[in-house]
């Protein structure tokens, strides 16, 4: 009998779906990937057809299984997915009743602002660790129920199910037998109390979401269900599930308080492990669940940047300055400096620590000497500057300062960007051998549940560094660059927002 030592991870992202099979040494054996269509029905609206997502998840999983030697070797399956994106479907048929509303979608900005004016944000923050912002799932659910004819009545009658993408995939993979979500994805809905670890009735009432819609709650690692045998030829235990950024925290083996990772995909998400106690942010960062295993919760402090890799995609698809993202490395090194050009990529508003949904993108400092290389460099630099703002806010909140930052995601493959990031943060930056840490985290969670790995400590010994980037910039130059960034952000924000006041702190550090 073939020994089952392989783990299949389905990594469902904002613009693509991939499936990867890992062996017991966490080496990638097979990868299959599909991009899917983004829908923009109105300005600021972003939707996904979840039938596209399901098709791609199934096709890529089958391809990866076949490439890695067959289903007989698969010990378990882990799921990781984009967070906050929400979908409603019929319990009787499993069919979605509307396209999924994506985390980037801003259609509920006015509704969130109204709740904020009514004084609800303090309660929401105390219970969830989140802010009142269109980013999170709850207001999206409210919009669907209030704007699609008949949905609210059907939801109250128990005919519909709600879930983030992980939940929908689990439902489909189990043939409709399991309607559940893990605590990390639940913690991003603004309906889940991160202290009681339950759906919260006061939050449900605030957003007018019927209890009948909600999935059951589960740990990130455990017996979550079995796949329908018709999908892959035999049933596979589903043993791990986590939101993408939480999965990356696990994939980067950030298991001790003070360890931090930043994932550079469509957006950038920086998570700092804060241990078994949540840290309340006074700088508009998010308190979230890092992971829960065996009923034991580890919390994290998170900063969310809405546009990271998406800025590079805009250079390619919007401005047509490049044909491939890798060209930005060469363009950034083609010029000796930024020439005073800054880009603030507020294409869908600004995330932490500003949380300005009405902000829009800005390029400033242009002169007749500015070139496309300066603009490309400014796009890369903007992501590092935004990461600095997050790291500074975490320190100001009293969280343990990370001695190094572990990075992953597409942009982390860019050597120039990784070095600039280390320079701006004034911190060592570690890049792992395998940049697919989101999928790897889902695999680790599933492998823990199925016996491929025995403990987090064992997983920590598997993590490997590919390259270390150490700061090599003059402190006075760093301060000058940061002052220019702060000025650019100030120009971008809509009144009455203000930039995070860090200039004096930077000056003190430089002195």
């Amino acid at each position: 009998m073939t020994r089952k030592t392989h783990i299949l991870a389905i990594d469902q992202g904002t613009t693509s779906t991939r499936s990867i099979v890992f062996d017991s040494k966490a080496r990638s054996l097979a990868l299959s990937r599909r991009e899917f269509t983004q829908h923009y029905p109105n300005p600021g609206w972003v939707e996904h057809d979840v039938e596209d997502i399901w098709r791609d998840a199934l096709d890529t999983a089958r391809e990866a299984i076949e490439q890695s030697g067959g289903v007989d070797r698969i010990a378990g399956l882990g799921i990781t997915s984009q967070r906050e994106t929400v979908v409603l479907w019929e319990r009787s048929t499993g069919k979605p009743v509307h396209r999924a509303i994506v985390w980037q979608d801003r259609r509920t900005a006015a509704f969130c602002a109204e709740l904020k004016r009514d004084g609800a944000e303090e309660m929401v923050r105390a219970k969830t660790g989140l802010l009142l912002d269109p980013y999170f799932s709850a207001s999206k659910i409210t919009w669907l129920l209030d704007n699609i004819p008949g949905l609210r009545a059907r939801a109250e009658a128990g005919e519909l199910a709600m879930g983030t993408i992980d939940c929908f995939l689990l439902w489909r993979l189990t043939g409709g037998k399991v309607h559940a979500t893990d605590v990390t994805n639940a913690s991003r809905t603004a309906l889940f109390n991160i202290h009681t670890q339950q759906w919260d009735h006061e939050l449900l009432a605030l957003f007018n979401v019927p209890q009948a819609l909600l999935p059951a709650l589960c740990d990130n690692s455990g017996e979550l269900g079995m796949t329908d045998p018709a999908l892959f030829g035999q049933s596979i235990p589903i043993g791990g599930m986590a939101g993408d950024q939480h999965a990356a925290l696990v994939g980067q083996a950030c298991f001790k308080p003070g360890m931090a990772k930043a994932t550079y995909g469509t957006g950038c998400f920086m998570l700092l492990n804060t241990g078994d106690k949540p840290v309340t942010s006074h700088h508009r960062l998010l308190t979230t669940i890092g992971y829960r295993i065996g009923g034991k919760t580890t919390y994290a402090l998170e900063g969310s940047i809405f546009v990271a890799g998406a800025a590079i995609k805009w250079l390619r698809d919007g401005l047509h300055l490049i044909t491939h993202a890798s060209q930005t490395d060469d363009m950034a090194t083609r010029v000796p400096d930024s020439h005073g050009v800054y880009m603030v990529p507020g294409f869908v508003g600004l995330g932490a620590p500003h949380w300005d949904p009405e902000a829009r993108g800005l390029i400033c400092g242009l002169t007749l000497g500015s070139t496309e290389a300066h603009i490309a460099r400014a796009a890369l630099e903007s992501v590092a500057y935004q990461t600095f703002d997050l790291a500074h806010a975490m320190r100001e909140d009293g969280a343990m300062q990370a001695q190094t930052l572990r990075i992953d995601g597409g942009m982390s493959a860019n050597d120039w960007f990784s070095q600039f990031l280390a320079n701006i943060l004034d911190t060592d930056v570690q890049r792992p051998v395998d940049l697919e840490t989101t999928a790897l985290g889902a695999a680790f969670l599933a492998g823990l549940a199925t016996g491929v790995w025995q403990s987090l400590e064992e997983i920590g010994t598997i993590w490997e560094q590919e390259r270390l980037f150490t700061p090599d910039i003059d402190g006075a130059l760093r301060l000058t660059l940061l002052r220019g960034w702060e000025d650019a952000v100030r120009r971008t924000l809509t009144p009455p927002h203000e930039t995070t006041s860090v200039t004096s702190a930077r000056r003190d550090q430089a002195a």
Side-chain angles (χ1 to χ4, degrees), residues 208-223:
N208 198 15
V209 173
Q211 178 89 33
L213 275 176
L214 302 179
L217 297 163
C218 61
D219 279 5
N220 294 106
S221 181
E223 299 178 3

Side-chain angles (χ1 to χ4, degrees), residues 108-121 132 206:
T108 61
F111 174 59
C112 291
E114 181 182 346
L115 292 179
K116 192 180 297 186
R117 285 193 300 270
D118 291 342
E121 186 167 66
L132 270 172
L206 176 69

Side-chain angles (χ1 to χ4, degrees), residues 5 50 95 146 153 166 199 273 331-332 343 393 399 485:
T5 59
V50 289
K95 293 181 179 179
D146 288 345
D166 63 297
W199 299 118
N273 184 324
M331 294 178 78
M343 174 190 290
W485 167 252

